[in-house]
Amino acid sequence: MKLKRSGRMVDLTTYLLNHPHQLIPLSYFVERYQSAKSSISEDLGIIKENFEYQGIGSLVTVAGAAGGVKYIPSVSKEEAEETIEELIDLLEDPERLLPGGYLYLTDMIGNPTLVNQVGRLFSSVFSHLKIDTVMTVATKGIPLAYAVATQLNVPVVIVRSNSRVTEGSTVSINYVSGSSKRIQTMALARRSIKKDANVLIIDDFMKAGGTIRGMISLIQEFQAHVAGIGVLVESEDGAERLVNDYVSLTRLAGVNEKEKRIEVEQGNYFQKRES
Amino acid sequence: MKLKRSGRMVDLTTYLLNHPHQLIPLSYFVERYQSAKSSISEDLGIIKENFEYQGIGSLVTVAGAAGGVKYIPSVSKEEAEETIEELIDLLEDPERLLPGGYLYLTDMIGNPTLVNQVGRLFSSVFSHLKIDTVMTVATKGIPLAYAVATQLNVPVVIVRSNSRVTEGSTVSINYVSGSSKRIQTMALARRSIKKDANVLIIDDFMKAGGTIRGMISLIQEFQAHVAGIGVLVESEDGAERLVNDYVSLTRLAGVNEKEKRIEVEQGNYFQKRES
């Protein structure tokens, strides 16, 4: 298609947003728009400037025959702060309190706009790492894992607490739940992860960290590596934490069931960001 | 921010793509770019033309004081055909065959690019309906449901086969699985769906339709309405189908376990599209 600059801007922006973390050769756009390479480079310069100004990511240009342009999504510090404040406000709603000090998160996890925004925050903090796969555990971690994986352009694997016939042969491990101290099982289809893969663990809630420890053991069982760990809410429950190196967006500082009060603060996200 | 047209094109495109099915007042953009309403209208005209040309959706302009512009994502017939052909190719891989005539879908469901594309196809066919919520059943329907809900800008509710403490009070129903004829239970948090809500059901696989029938009963239990049903794969298994009005992207026409052959064809998607 032959387009004027304003038309190319619309098309290029759409294309780049839909292909994050993918190296696209300039020749692809030259052919797509039947335009000179120099015009495309100028177009990309304008987009780069605007993306950086908006704080939604950067365009990286790789020179040479195997080169091209790559869109790396990110979130500005200001936007991350706004999102985390919104999360804290939502989490502190006393209506979330459930018997036993648990929190009702279903509505938050059910909001795709919020979930995709959380995905952008995590992909931003992990974008400098080599990641081959995002791993989560059924059920509430799944939407968050997909939101992150979409931005990082990698597949998702879902660990289950039961193995199903439709999964083929599975690898199972037993682990001790940190809070309840019960022995539990988790399983993953044998075909899911390749040896030496770099796996990013994403989950909605971490209490003592038993479930995440289970996922780490499972990754080791596949002879793969843990690239990073991200949780939406960590709970400060006093017990010794089984996992040390993780990124949390929020921290549940205290729950007072009697007074129906939930105290939530920022997690360690801003300590883990590079800038 | 004061931007030139090319910069506004990048910013407007990004904004619209990230806010599908939302009416945005023109005054929002007038303020955002400190530009005249006439310039913004011209910008939107260029974007509308390009989106339609690319086949990624339309811009609807609503006149008047409560007016504005709304991006309705859609997929061109050609792109839908390409995607469904890709799905068929992937599904026909004999390596998918599992004991009992089941198919391994985990890798396909684990691919966010493919899943988001499927979400675009479904949102396109259902975009003319009033939809308040997307419903699915754990586990493999979840990524598809989020992909659709992101495009439609509505929340997701996840039905579970067990009710968990973190869900609060739940509504449960018993249903008969169409294939296995076993009585099963599904549950949904009471806070999840409002009375009279219009619910779109999305799932990965439909055999006789028992699970979907279960979801329909559950929706009735909440005094809500079924707005539509979409499935990635329907299986032609000879038994009488429990559900009649649905949209399927692909149809499993035959599985020959002995010869390791899987036959897949187009579902009824193109009969259900408006154009």
Side-chain angles (χ1 to χ4, degrees):
Chain A
M1 51 183 146
K2 185 80 183 161
L3 293 173
K4 283 196 229 168
R5 163 147 294 152
S6 50
R8 287 203 307 267
M9 283 296 150
V10 178
D11 195 81
L12 266 170
T13 303
T14 306
Y15 193 91
L16 291 167
L17 291 176
N18 287 332
H19 297 82
H21 282 277
Q22 274 177 60
L23 188 68
I24 305 144
L26 288 197
S27 58
Y28 175 81
F29 295 121
V30 168
E31 207 167 298
R32 186 175 174 102
Y33 306 128
Q34 292 148 49
S35 296
K37 207 166 177 173
S38 56
S39 308
I40 307 287
S41 292
E42 239 179 272
D43 295 347
L44 291 170
I46 297 169
I47 293 178
K48 181 184 165 75
E49 203 181 313
N50 189 277
F51 279 9
E52 283 168 5
Y53 184 81
Q54 282 188 69
I56 63 163
S58 57
L59 289 193
V60 177
T61 312
V62 179
V69 63
K70 195 192 275 192
Y71 165 51
I72 312 284
S74 66
V75 176
S76 68
K77 193 158 179 281
E78 294 69 37
E79 195 186 347
E81 270 167 357
E82 267 176 43
T83 304
I84 290 178
E85 284 314 308
E86 187 190 346
L87 290 170
I88 291 174
D89 277 357
L90 287 166
L91 288 167
E92 285 188 332
D93 177 355
E95 295 295 308
R96 295 197 181 281
L97 264 185
L98 295 173
Y102 284 92
L103 294 189
Y104 182 85
L105 293 179
T106 308
D107 61 323
M108 288 174 65
I109 300 286
N111 176 343
T113 309
L114 189 65
V115 164
N116 291 333
Q117 184 63 8
V118 166
R120 291 183 57 227
L121 261 67
F122 279 128
S123 77
S124 195
V125 73
F126 293 121
S127 71
H128 63 291
L129 300 175
K130 170 135 186 48
I131 293 166
D132 301 303
T133 302
V134 173
M135 173 186 275
T136 193
V137 67
T139 310
K140 282 206 283 291
I142 299 175
L144 300 173
Y146 273 81
V148 179
T150 294
Q151 298 292 321
L152 294 175
N153 184 37
V154 296
V156 177
V157 297
I158 301 169
V159 175
R160 305 175 65 138
S161 49
N162 57 342
S163 89
R164 293 276 294 266
V165 63
T166 50
E167 299 267 319
S169 76
T170 55
V171 175
S172 297
I173 59 145
N174 295 315
Y175 70 102
V176 179
S177 151
S179 337
S180 67
K181 307 277 182 212
R182 279 183 310 162
I183 292 183
Q184 306 199 37
T185 304
M186 54 170 69
L188 186 62
R190 187 171 289 286
R191 309 185 194 182
S192 302
I193 299 183
K194 291 204 172 65
K195 190 170 170 285
D196 284 326
N198 299 294
V199 184
L200 173 63
I201 297 174
I202 295 288
D203 208 358
D204 61 324
F205 201 83
M206 175 170 73
K207 221 168 169 180
T211 308
I212 286 175
R213 271 289 289 251
M215 284 193 266
I216 295 172
S217 303
L218 200 53
I219 290 169
Q220 288 162 347
E221 205 58 48
F222 280 84
Q223 294 182 273
H225 314 291
V226 179
I229 299 167
V231 297
L232 177 64
V233 188
E234 63 167 309
S235 160
E236 191 77 68
D237 72 341
E240 207 184 327
R241 175 90 69 215
L242 297 170
V243 175
N244 290 309
D245 194 14
Y246 59 87
V247 175
S248 64
L249 300 192
T250 60
R251 177 181 291 118
L252 189 59
V255 172
N256 188 324
E257 278 194 75
K258 225 170 109 190
E259 296 176 23
K260 279 209 155 223
R261 203 158 31 77
I262 303 172
E263 258 174 74
V264 182
E265 52 193 39
Q266 284 190 355
N268 65 11
Y269 183 77
F270 292 105
Q271 288 126 57
K272 299 288 178 173
R273 268 175 73 106
E274 299 220 300
S275 66
Chain B
M1 51 184 150
K2 185 81 183 158
L3 292 172
K4 283 197 229 167
R5 165 145 293 151
S6 49
R8 287 202 308 267
M9 284 296 151
V10 178
D11 195 81
L12 268 168
T13 302
T14 306
Y15 194 91
L16 291 166
L17 291 176
N18 287 333
H19 297 82
H21 282 276
Q22 274 177 59
L23 188 68
I24 306 144
L26 287 198
S27 58
Y28 175 81
F29 294 121
V30 167
E31 206 167 300
R32 186 174 172 101
Y33 306 129
Q34 293 148 48
S35 296
K37 207 166 175 171
S38 57
S39 308
I40 306 286
S41 293
E42 238 179 89
D43 295 347
L44 291 171
I46 297 170
I47 293 177
K48 181 183 164 75
E49 204 181 311
N50 188 277
F51 279 9
E52 283 168 5
Y53 184 82
Q54 284 188 67
I56 63 165
S58 56
L59 288 193
V60 177
T61 313
V62 180
V69 64
K70 196 194 275 191
Y71 165 51
I72 312 285
S74 66
V75 176
S76 69
K77 193 157 178 281
E78 293 68 37
E79 195 187 346
E81 270 168 356
E82 266 175 44
T83 304
I84 291 179
E85 284 313 308
E86 186 191 345
L87 290 170
I88 291 175
D89 277 356
L90 286 168
L91 288 167
E92 285 189 332
D93 177 355
E95 295 295 309
R96 295 201 179 278
L97 265 186
L98 294 173
Y102 284 91
L103 293 189
Y104 181 85
L105 293 178
T106 309
D107 61 322
M108 288 174 66
I109 300 285
N111 177 342
T113 309
L114 189 66
V115 164
N116 292 333
Q117 183 63 7
V118 166
R120 291 184 56 225
L121 261 68
F122 279 128
S123 76
S124 194
V125 74
F126 294 120
S127 70
H128 62 292
L129 301 174
K130 170 134 185 48
I131 292 165
D132 301 304
T133 302
V134 174
M135 174 186 276
T136 192
V137 67
T139 310
K140 282 207 282 291
I142 299 175
L144 300 172
Y146 273 82
V148 179
T150 295
Q151 298 291 320
L152 293 174
N153 186 35
V154 297
V156 177
V157 297
I158 301 169
V159 176
R160 304 175 66 138
S161 48
N162 56 342
S163 88
R164 291 277 293 267
V165 63
T166 50
E167 300 267 319
S169 78
T170 56
V171 175
S172 297
I173 59 144
N174 295 316
Y175 70 102
V176 179
S177 149
S179 338
S180 68
K181 306 278 182 214
R182 278 184 309 164
I183 292 184
Q184 306 198 38
T185 305
M186 54 170 72
L188 186 61
R190 187 171 290 285
R191 310 185 192 182
S192 302
I193 299 183
K194 290 204 172 66
K195 188 168 172 284
D196 283 327
N198 298 295
V199 184
L200 173 63
I201 296 175
I202 295 289
D203 208 358
D204 61 324
F205 200 83
M206 175 169 73
K207 223 168 165 176
T211 308
I212 286 174
R213 270 291 287 253
M215 284 193 267
I216 294 172
S217 303
L218 200 53
I219 290 169
Q220 288 162 347
E221 204 59 46
F222 280 86
Q223 295 182 273
H225 315 291
V226 179
I229 299 168
V231 296
L232 178 65
V233 188
E234 64 166 308
S235 160
E236 191 75 70
D237 72 342
E240 207 184 327
R241 175 88 70 214
L242 298 170
V243 175
N244 291 309
D245 194 12
Y246 59 87
V247 175
S248 64
L249 299 193
T250 60
R251 178 182 290 118
L252 189 59
V255 172
N256 187 323
E257 277 192 75
K258 223 170 109 191
E259 295 176 25
K260 280 211 152 221
R261 203 159 30 77
I262 304 172
E263 260 174 73
V264 182
E265 52 194 37
Q266 282 189 355
N268 66 9
Y269 183 77
F270 292 105
Q271 290 128 56
K272 300 288 178 172
R273 268 175 74 106
E274 301 220 298
S275 66

